[in-house]
């Protein structure tokens, strides 16, 4: 099983600041199968990034993803009030598909 | 618009089974797969398995292999997930979601792009 470890667990930032979230895999993951999701309380996850770096439909360009192999990053260039939420990375390059434990981005 | 509409909340006793439905609309059901993900209170998402709506091939997480059955009804564009032998550890929100599309027998992955609203399953004596 591919374990995804996200860091930090919590990120305390102010609106307008830059957020950098990390996702490290226990073994190499093809970039094609690495995605990022945003989840707000009481809602289903929302796809932000797929293929490690491709924005999903309707996702603002302040969200960007990069990485390869075992190290992936999600960057939010300038935090908007609606961006404060929990973010998960996920892989489906190997079975079982797995999610990271999440990074909470909270208002400082 | 593309959407997945799930069945309503369920309350079950330990040892019982639950069957959750997920009706798709707004896209060609048979050209995508459906994945099921659950989320226990305060926890992250947990993948349960995937089914092809094209040919009903399945890929279950080993953890659920003996207890879960995923099916589809292409006549109604509906996917189902049945989980047996419930325990309190199965209390969670269960999501269906669209994942992977097939073109000329090749599956393409673009993330889990459309999610249902979730079905709360509570297991309690």
């Amino acid at each position: 099983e591919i374990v995804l470890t996200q860091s930090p667990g919590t990120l305390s930032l102010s609106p307008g600041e830059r957020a950098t979230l990390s996702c490290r895999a226990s073994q190499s993951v093809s970039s094609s199968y690495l995605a990022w999701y945003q989840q707000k309380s009481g809602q289903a996850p929302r796809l932000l990034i797929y293929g490690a770096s491709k924005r999903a439909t309707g996702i603002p360009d302040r969200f960007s993803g990069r990485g390869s192999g075992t190290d992936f990053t999600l960057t939010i260039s300038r935090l908007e009030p609606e961006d404060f939420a929990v973010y998960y990375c996920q892989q489906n390059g190997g079975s079982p598909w797995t999610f990271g434990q999440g990074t909470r981005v909270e208002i400082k | 618009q593309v959407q997945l509409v799930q069945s309503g909340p369920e309350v079950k006793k330990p040892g019982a089974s639950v069957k959750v439905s997920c009706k798709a609309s707004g896209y060609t059901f048979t050209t995508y797969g459906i994945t099921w993900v659950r989320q226990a209170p305060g926890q992250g998402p947990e993948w349960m398995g995937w089914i092809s709506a094209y040919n009903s091939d399945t890929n279950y997480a080993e953890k659920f292999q003996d207890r879960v059955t995923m099916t589809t009804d292409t006549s109604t564009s509906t996917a189902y997930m049945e989980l047996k032998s419930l325990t309190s550890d199965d209390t969670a929100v269960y999501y269906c979601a669209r994942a992977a599309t097939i073109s000329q027998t090749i599956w393409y992955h673009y993330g889990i792009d459309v999610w249902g609203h979730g079905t709360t399953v509570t297991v309690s004596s």
Side-chain angles (χ1 to χ4, degrees):
Chain A
E1 173 174 329
I2 298 175
V3 176
L4 299 178
T5 301
Q6 293 187 239
S7 61
T10 302
L11 205 47
S12 298
L13 295 167
S14 300
E17 290 194 293
R18 181 185 189 89
T20 302
L21 288 65
S22 173
C23 175
R24 179 161 291 178
S26 60
Q27 55 187 280
S28 185
V29 174
S30 167
S31 297
S32 299
Y33 303 111
L34 194 288
W36 289 91
Y37 302 84
Q38 176 193 69
Q39 188 175 32
K40 297 180 180 179
S41 181
Q43 297 183 15
R46 172 194 181 199
L47 176 66
L48 299 175
I49 301 286
Y50 66 92
S53 62
K54 302 175 180 65
R55 274 188 299 276
T57 302
I59 301 303
D61 61 8
R62 65 180 181 272
F63 291 92
S64 63
R66 61 178 297 173
S68 63
T70 60
D71 289 299
F72 298 89
T73 301
L74 173 71
T75 300
I76 311 171
S77 59
R78 295 170 312 278
L79 283 165
E80 297 287 342
E82 62 267 28
D83 299 337
F84 291 92
V86 180
Y87 293 82
Y88 296 98
C89 57
Q90 175 260 330
Q91 68 80 27
N92 58 315
S95 187
W97 301 8
T98 51
F99 290 83
Q101 83 280 16
T103 290
R104 178 178 301 278
V105 178
E106 64 176 26
I107 299 177
K108 186 174 181 180
Chain B
Q1 73 280 23
V2 176
Q3 61 177 350
L4 299 171
V5 178
Q6 299 185 223
S7 48
E10 302 268 10
V11 179
K12 297 292 183 181
K13 293 196 181 302
S17 298
V18 68
K19 190 170 186 177
V20 179
S21 68
C22 170
K23 184 171 177 59
S25 61
Y27 71 96
T28 303
F29 183 66
T30 52
T31 59
Y32 286 83
I34 293 287
T35 193
W36 291 87
V37 173
R38 76 178 187 179
Q39 192 165 25
Q43 304 297 311
E46 180 179 30
W47 181 73
M48 300 181 68
W50 176 90
I51 181 166
S52 160
Y54 174 72
N55 61 5
S56 295
D57 280 352
T58 55
N59 177 17
Y60 298 147
E62 189 173 343
K63 173 178 180 177
F64 301 102
Q65 184 79 38
D66 296 335
R67 296 198 295 137
V68 73
T69 303
M70 296 177 187
T71 57
T72 60
D73 180 345
T74 57
S75 68
T76 60
S77 298
T78 302
Y80 298 91
M81 186 282 299
E82 183 176 25
L83 189 63
K84 304 173 184 173
S85 303
L86 294 169
T87 72
S88 57
D89 290 342
D90 295 315
T91 294
V93 177
Y94 289 75
Y95 294 102
C96 65
R98 191 176 77 169
T101 183
I102 189 168
S103 176
Q104 298 183 344
T105 75
I106 298 174
W107 285 100
Y108 296 90
H109 293 266
Y110 301 110
I112 306 172
D113 66 341
V114 180
W115 293 69
H117 52 82
T119 295
T120 299
V121 175
T122 303
V123 183
S124 174
S125 54

